[in-house]
Amino acid sequence: MSRLYRYRLPPWCRHWLFILEKCSLPLAVFQLIRTLIFPTSLDVFLLGILIGIYVAFHFEWI
């Protein structure tokens, strides 16, 4: 269902969605390295959000 929903969005919104999809894995890897070096609760929270976004794009929930 998400593939059909993506193409109903306005072109500018669809463009940003594709950019977010391509950047989610590198951002999650960077945040993982940062969390391993400087573990704070904010870093762990951000890592969880980034992994959740990546999983949502991978399973095409977004």
Side-chain angles (χ1 to χ4, degrees), residues 1-9 14 60 62:
M1 180 172 149
S2 72
R3 286 186 181 255
L4 297 176
Y5 177 70
R6 283 185 183 188
Y7 296 111
R8 293 166 135 183
L9 295 172
R14 194 174 8 168
E60 296 178 356
I62 295 178

Side-chain angles (χ1 to χ4, degrees), residues 3-62:
R3 286 186 181 255
L4 297 176
Y5 177 70
R6 283 185 183 188
Y7 296 111
R8 293 166 135 183
L9 295 172
W12 63 270
C13 187
R14 194 174 8 168
H15 179 71
W16 283 107
L17 189 66
F18 290 146
I19 289 173
L20 182 63
E21 182 177 7
K22 297 297 179 190
C23 292
S24 63
L25 183 61
L27 285 174
V29 169
F30 173 75
Q31 188 62 34
L32 174 67
I33 293 169
R34 181 184 155 95
T35 303
L36 291 175
I37 295 172
F38 304 113
T40 64
S41 57
L42 178 64
D43 289 328
V44 174
F45 181 69
L46 285 174
L47 181 62
I49 288 174
L50 289 171
I51 289 175
I53 289 172
Y54 177 74
V55 167
F57 278 125
H58 182 72
F59 288 119
E60 296 178 356
W61 294 338
I62 295 178

